[in-house]
Amino acid sequence: MLGRPEYRRALVFCGLIGVPVALIAFWFLVAVHQLEQLIWTDWPRDLGWKQAPWWWALPLLAPAGLVVGVVAARFPGRGGHVPAGGLHSGGITRKALPGVVIAALVGLPLGAVLGPEAPLIAMGGGLALLFASLARAPQTEASTALLGAAGAAAAVSALFGNPIVGAVLLIEVAGVGGPQLFAVMLPALLASGVGDLIFTGFVRWTGFETGSLDIGLPAPPPLGWADVLWAPVLAPALAFFVHWAFVGGRFAARFVATRTVRNTTLCALAAAVCITLYAVATGRSPAEAALSGESALSELARNPHAWPVGALIAVLVFKGLAYALCLGSLRGGPVFPALFLGGAAGALLAPLPGLGLVPAMAVGMAASVTAALRLPVSSVVLVVLLLGNVDTVALVVLAAVVSFVLVQWLPQGPDVPVFGEGPAERTPGRATH
C-alpha cells in the first residue's frame, strides 16, 4: 500500500489538509472558551455580582435549547450526532457544517453540560471533504473515509493538545478492525496493566533494578496495596453511575425526537433547573454544574479542599442529571463532563482508608470516561496524559477494563437518532458505541 502512488498522494494531501483544519479548530475552541468566560464570569462581575447568581442558567439554556432544536429539526445533518449515542466519525458531510457550528457555538457557551470534541470531529471531517472538493481531488469511497478520519483527527488533536490522543481516539471511534479490535485489545490492555503492577511491586520489594525509561523527573508517592484493592471496587460504581446517565440521555433523545424544537427547549430548561438547584443548595457558582467541567476539573485537582463534601455530592447529583438531559437533547461531546464527574467522585472518596487523592481521581476519571465512550484504550491514554505521571497507569488500565466490561452487560436503553440528513433515522442503542 505504501508503494502505491495514489496512497502517497493521499498521505501528503492529508498532511496539508491538517494545517487549515487545525487552525480552524483552534479558533473554534478559542471562541467557545472566550464566550464561556464572557457569559459566566465577566458579565456577572460587570453587573456587580462576585459570581454568577443562582438563577443565571435559566435565561441562558432556554434559548440555547430553542436554537439547537431548530437546527436539529431544520438543518442538514441535524447539528451533529446525538451525544447519548457516543462519539462517531461517520456520516459527516459538507452540508452539515453550518448546523454543527451553530449548534456548538450556541449550546456550549450558554451552559450545555457537554464538551467540544464531537463538534470538532464533525467539523474536521467536513472541512477535510470541503477542501478536497475545492482542490478537485478525486474522491472515492475509500478516499472520502480516509480524508474524513484525517480531518477529524487533526481537529480533535487541537483540543487534547496531543496527536497520540487524536490518532488513538479516531482508530477506536472509526471502528477500524471491527468488533475483533476490542476482543484483541482488551485482554492485552488488562494483561499489560497487571504486568505493570507486578513488575513495579517486585522492583520495590527486592530493590533490584532492571533498567527503565525513567529520566529522573519527580514522582508522586508510590502506590500502595490499598490503592490497588480499591480500584475494582470503585470503578464499577462510577461506571454504573455514568452509564445510567447515558441511559437517561437515550430516553431524553427519544422524547426530543417527537417534537424536536419544543422538547429540546424543555430538556435544556430542565437542565437549567438542575444547575439552579445546585447553586441554591450549595451557595456556589452555577457554572460548576454547567458547561463541560474542563475548567472546574483543573480547579478541583489544584485545590480539592475548597470543595466541601456537600458540594461534591451536590455536583455529582445535579450535574449528572443535567448531563443526562443534555446528552439526549443538545449537541456536543461526552468526554469532559464524564472526566469531571469521575474526578469529583474520586475527590469525594479519596479519604477512604489507604486511598489517596491522585489514585482516587485516576480510577474515577478512567472508569467514568470509559463508561461514556466505550473506548478503553483512548480512555487510558487520555487519563494518563491528564494525570501527567506513569505511576498510576496500572490503576487507570484496571479501572478502564472493569468499566468497559461492566457497561457491555448493562441495559443500554432505547434507540437514539443517528447523524444523517433526515430527522427520522434511528439506530439500535448497542450499535451506537
Side-chain angles (χ1 to χ4, degrees):
M1 184 181 294
L2 290 174
R4 295 177 181 174
E6 60 271 19
Y7 183 82
R8 293 198 299 269
R9 287 195 296 269
L11 195 63
V12 172
F13 193 65
C14 286
L16 294 175
I17 279 179
V19 176
V21 169
L23 288 173
I24 293 172
F26 170 78
W27 287 111
F28 169 80
L29 289 173
V30 167
V32 170
H33 285 294
Q34 291 296 318
L35 286 171
E36 289 178 355
Q37 175 72 22
L38 177 68
I39 294 170
W40 291 89
T41 303
D42 295 343
W43 282 358
R45 289 178 180 173
D46 292 342
L47 293 172
W49 290 293
K50 182 180 178 181
Q51 62 186 26
W54 60 268
W55 49 264
W56 195 251
L58 295 171
L60 294 178
L61 274 169
L66 177 62
V67 172
V68 174
V70 171
V71 170
R74 306 298 181 198
F75 279 56
R78 302 188 315 173
H81 299 294
V82 177
L87 289 179
H88 299 265
S89 64
I92 299 168
T93 65
R94 292 171 289 162
K95 294 180 180 178
L97 282 175
V100 169
V101 173
I102 292 171
L105 286 180
V106 172
L108 297 181
L110 290 182
V113 187
L114 297 168
E117 60 278 2
L120 278 175
I121 289 175
M123 282 176 54
L127 286 170
L129 297 178
L130 175 62
F131 292 140
S133 176
L134 293 175
R136 296 183 179 179
Q139 294 188 31
T140 62
E141 184 177 348
S143 67
T144 297
L146 180 65
L147 288 172
V156 82
S157 295
L159 170 64
F160 294 119
N162 191 294
I164 296 175
V165 178
V168 173
L169 184 66
L170 263 296
I171 288 173
E172 288 192 293
V173 167
V176 178
Q180 292 82 6
L181 175 71
F182 292 104
V184 173
M185 292 173 72
L186 204 63
L189 187 63
L190 178 60
S192 66
V194 173
D196 182 63
L197 276 176
I198 300 301
F199 190 89
T200 303
F202 268 89
V203 168
R204 189 175 303 141
W205 296 332
T206 63
F208 292 115
E209 295 289 342
T210 60
S212 70
L213 299 178
D214 186 2
I215 60 174
L217 292 174
L223 294 177
W225 276 111
D227 300 321
V228 179
L229 294 175
W230 276 117
V233 177
L234 301 181
L238 297 175
F240 190 84
F241 172 69
V242 171
H243 171 76
W244 282 105
F246 269 78
V247 172
R250 292 174 183 274
F251 279 102
R254 187 171 68 172
F255 172 70
V256 164
T258 54
R259 293 187 177 180
T260 302
V261 178
R262 186 199 68 180
N263 292 350
T264 300
T265 306
L266 289 176
C267 282
L269 191 56
V273 171
C274 295
I275 295 166
T276 301
L277 290 174
Y278 167 79
V280 171
T282 62
R284 298 170 68 93
S285 171
E288 294 173 350
L291 305 172
S292 69
E294 182 180 358
S295 300
L297 180 61
S298 299
E299 295 171 4
L300 175 65
R302 287 195 301 266
N303 191 15
H305 300 294
W307 291 69
V309 171
L312 290 171
I313 294 174
V315 81
L316 286 171
V317 172
F318 292 116
K319 192 179 185 78
L321 289 172
Y323 183 38
L325 289 163
C326 292
L327 282 170
S329 57
L330 301 181
R331 296 296 184 266
V335 173
F336 286 105
L339 285 171
F340 175 82
L341 291 172
L348 177 66
L349 299 172
L352 289 171
L355 187 63
L357 177 67
V358 174
M361 290 188 68
V363 170
M365 290 191 293
S368 298
V369 78
T370 304
L373 292 181
R374 315 293 178 90
L375 307 174
V377 178
S378 298
S379 300
V380 167
V381 172
L382 176 57
V383 173
V384 168
L385 289 173
L386 285 175
L387 293 170
N389 68 76
V390 296
D391 285 5
T392 53
V393 172
L395 291 184
V396 171
V397 170
L398 183 59
V401 172
V402 170
S403 175
F404 181 79
V405 172
L406 174 65
V407 298
Q408 300 305 313
W409 289 97
L410 293 173
Q412 302 301 304
D415 300 347
V416 296
V418 297
F419 183 92
E421 297 301 325
E425 293 173 286
R426 301 288 185 270
T427 189
R430 185 175 294 274
T432 57
H433 287 281

